[in-house]
Amino acid sequence: MRIPPFQRFRRFSQISAVFVLGMVTGAVMYNAVFHLGYNVLWLNNQEMRVEIEQYRNDIKTLKKYNNTSTVIREIKLRMEESKDKESTSGLDPVTVKEIISKMGTDLEPMRGRSMFDIDTDGKLARLLLDGKIYIVREKEYSARIRTMLVMEGVLQIWVEINPYKRS
């Protein structure tokens, strides 16, 4: 049995190898673009879910306390940038929203309280939440209350969120 010389098939094998490599490269590029778009969509979806839940709680509270003007009807939590830039660089918006929603559930008993008793309630909130550790996506974060402000039935709290470092 005689084997044909390989030189006859060399050009065909080179063209087919380039074609297969082009297919693989195109599939990788398409997959990367698809996952990038899907990731952006997923992050927006998570942010919207947290905002919807917060708005539902606010609507329920506003309906409950719409006739009284001296109670805390709404709690707004805002993240304040830390002085240490390396610690906040690892926080993505979804993680921040989840931590803020967990803090909102911890602060839920403050809704409906009198605005004039905020001095005792504020001290209590600081003692309970200052330095509290929240676990989000199997990572630990510590929250620190920086500022609390009550105006027109809205309690606004600025918090500083850092990854928790065990000592």
Side-chain angles (χ1 to χ4, degrees):
M1 179 166 180
R2 194 166 166 227
I3 300 174
F6 189 69
Q7 281 76 16
R8 296 165 89 185
F9 303 110
R10 181 175 291 167
R11 185 78 177 145
F12 175 72
S13 63
Q14 287 175 346
I15 291 172
S16 62
V18 168
F19 181 71
V20 169
L21 285 175
M23 285 179 22
V24 169
T25 304
V28 167
M29 296 298 289
Y30 176 76
N31 198 18
V33 169
F34 175 76
H35 282 290
L36 182 68
Y38 187 78
N39 190 32
V40 169
L41 182 67
W42 184 80
L43 287 173
N44 286 339
N45 189 7
Q46 291 297 325
E47 287 181 21
M48 295 298 167
R49 283 184 182 191
V50 170
E51 286 181 13
I52 287 172
E53 187 63 33
Q54 185 178 11
Y55 290 150
R56 282 183 182 154
N57 290 339
D58 291 343
I59 288 170
K60 185 172 61 174
T61 305
L62 289 172
K63 283 182 180 178
K64 188 175 181 181
Y65 300 110
N66 65 349
N67 293 331
T68 55
S69 61
T70 61
V71 297
I72 297 172
R73 295 186 302 260
E74 190 176 345
I75 298 174
K76 290 193 179 197
L77 292 161
R78 302 179 196 278
M79 184 185 153
E80 186 175 276
E81 290 295 324
S82 174
K83 294 174 184 82
D84 187 18
K85 291 295 180 187
E86 299 96 29
S87 64
T88 58
S89 63
L91 295 176
D92 58 276
V94 175
T95 304
V96 171
K97 294 272 186 184
E98 286 185 30
I99 293 171
I100 286 178
S101 69
K102 286 184 179 186
M103 286 187 77
T105 57
D106 290 343
L107 289 169
E108 193 63 34
M110 297 205 48
R111 288 184 193 257
R113 303 287 304 254
S114 174
M115 289 191 308
F116 301 114
D117 295 335
I118 194 64
D119 57 345
T120 58
D121 295 340
K123 290 175 188 173
L124 179 67
R126 265 192 207 276
L127 288 173
L128 290 176
L129 295 179
D130 209 24
K132 185 173 180 180
I133 299 170
Y134 292 96
I135 299 173
V136 175
R137 295 189 193 168
E138 300 170 0
K139 292 184 181 176
E140 296 178 339
Y141 298 95
S142 65
R144 188 169 161 212
I145 296 176
R146 303 296 286 171
T147 308
M148 295 177 77
L149 175 68
V150 177
M151 186 168 53
E152 297 178 4
V154 178
L155 173 63
Q156 295 184 14
I157 300 174
W158 284 268
V159 295
E160 182 180 312
I161 300 171
N162 295 318
Y164 180 69
K165 296 178 184 125
R166 295 188 181 266
S167 33

